[in-house]
Amino acid sequence: MIRTIIRKYRTMRKMIREIGFLRTLRITVDKIALTLLQKVYGFHPVHVITPLSARPYRHIVADLANGLKPRCVVEVGCGLGIILSLIRAPNRFGYDVDEGAIRAARLLRRGVSFTHGDITTVSQRPIDVLILVNWIHEYSPEQLDMWLSPMLSYTSYLLMDAIDPDGPEGYRYRHDFKFLETRVRRVETRPVPNETRSIILYEVTL
Ligand SMILES: C[S@@+](CC[C@H](N)C(=O)[O-])C[C@H]1O[C@@H](n2cnc3c(N)ncnc32)[C@H](O)[C@@H]1O
């Protein structure tokens, strides 16, 4: 118990040094709120430690999507729906295999439709922007190919993230989008500040 308090105190001191008092306070308050929500909804603990205040890469994803002025945006692996909440589109749909996350997202986000399911359950057509961010590194390119290929004929843009292969985490993941090469055009790559990750926007050219 005492060790945990000391460890938390040290982490907080380090955070204040690195990102300032106010941002540290904001992140701490957000994490406390998410801890309470997690107790009610039982979603995966990863969502507690990654509020928007701590992981602003979502603003980059939303900015790229908003630039396309989409009508229908689908995010698979949407978690608590933070990215979808930042996107301006008349039709926004989130899918996730974590049922607790979906139930919490329904509570938190108005105007977004959430479904418990994986990418094979997506029913919207056509899709202007399909977002797959911060989970696809757990899957092989072959698996991603199997999931994405049937969707390309009715999807206009893909937004995905890739962990820098030369970064410290790079060796662990197999981000390889070569399987898409002949069917998409890379529109933009935006590196995420302070992370070894980039957000990539592809236009489907099928
Ligand atoms: C780290 S969270 C990221 C959430 C959101 N994309 C964001 O960046 O804010 C990863 C989410 O992907 C979901 N996930 C993992 N594998 C999935 C799959 N095969 N289909 C749908 N969701 C999946 C997890 O349940 C989790 O909620």
Side-chain angles (χ1 to χ4, degrees):
M1 175 74 172
I2 293 203
R3 269 205 200 136
T4 311
I5 292 171
I6 292 173
R7 194 162 38 81
K8 289 214 157 128
Y9 171 72
R10 284 198 181 130
T11 310
M12 220 133 155
R13 247 188 15 189
K14 186 166 173 271
M15 274 174 77
I16 291 172
R17 258 201 319 273
E18 285 173 7
I19 61 173
F21 175 75
L22 282 181
R23 188 150 170 240
T24 304
L25 183 68
R26 178 65 208 263
I27 292 171
T28 308
V29 170
D30 286 349
K31 284 185 183 176
I32 292 169
L34 288 170
T35 304
L36 298 175
L37 203 65
Q38 200 266 342
K39 298 234 178 296
V40 178
Y41 288 97
F43 49 73
H44 194 284
V46 72
H47 299 298
V48 173
I49 55 169
T50 57
L52 179 62
S53 47
R55 298 295 301 280
Y57 67 89
R58 285 119 167 178
H59 287 291
I60 298 178
V61 181
D63 194 44
L64 286 166
N66 285 332
L68 300 167
K69 300 199 174 11
R71 291 199 61 73
C72 176
V73 177
V74 174
E75 182 183 10
V76 180
C78 63
L80 300 180
I82 301 173
I83 291 174
L84 285 167
S85 75
L86 301 170
I87 290 177
R88 292 183 299 276
N91 304 305
R92 293 171 291 168
F93 302 90
Y95 289 79
D96 203 291
V97 289
D98 182 340
E99 194 173 3
I102 286 296
R103 284 191 294 123
R106 282 188 190 128
L107 172 87
L108 295 170
R109 325 279 168 212
R110 296 278 161 237
V112 183
S113 171
F114 290 101
T115 304
H116 175 223
D118 67 8
I119 196 163
T120 62
T121 60
V122 172
S123 57
Q124 287 69 38
R125 286 152 181 61
I127 298 171
D128 295 321
V129 187
L130 175 61
I131 300 173
L132 311 172
V133 167
N134 203 6
W135 61 274
I136 51 176
H137 49 269
E138 304 291 350
Y139 295 90
S140 68
E142 293 77 20
Q143 177 65 73
L144 287 178
D145 190 10
M146 262 171 54
W147 279 331
L148 283 176
S149 286
M151 303 180 80
L152 295 180
S153 62
Y154 55 87
T155 299
S156 302
Y157 289 90
L158 290 173
L159 257 171
M160 304 197 285
D161 68 325
I163 291 167
D164 181 356
D166 304 323
E169 295 273 339
Y171 71 95
R172 288 175 53 194
Y173 302 112
R174 292 188 292 151
H175 276 283
D176 182 352
F177 300 137
K178 278 203 189 79
F179 66 90
L180 283 171
E181 234 163 42
T182 57
R183 293 170 287 171
V184 299
R185 175 180 76 86
R186 189 186 282 237
V187 178
E188 198 169 335
T189 302
R190 283 207 203 158
V192 178
N194 306 317
E195 290 195 36
T196 53
R197 175 197 306 267
S198 294
I199 308 297
I200 307 173
L201 173 65
Y202 289 110
E203 181 183 13
V204 179
T205 54
L206 266 184

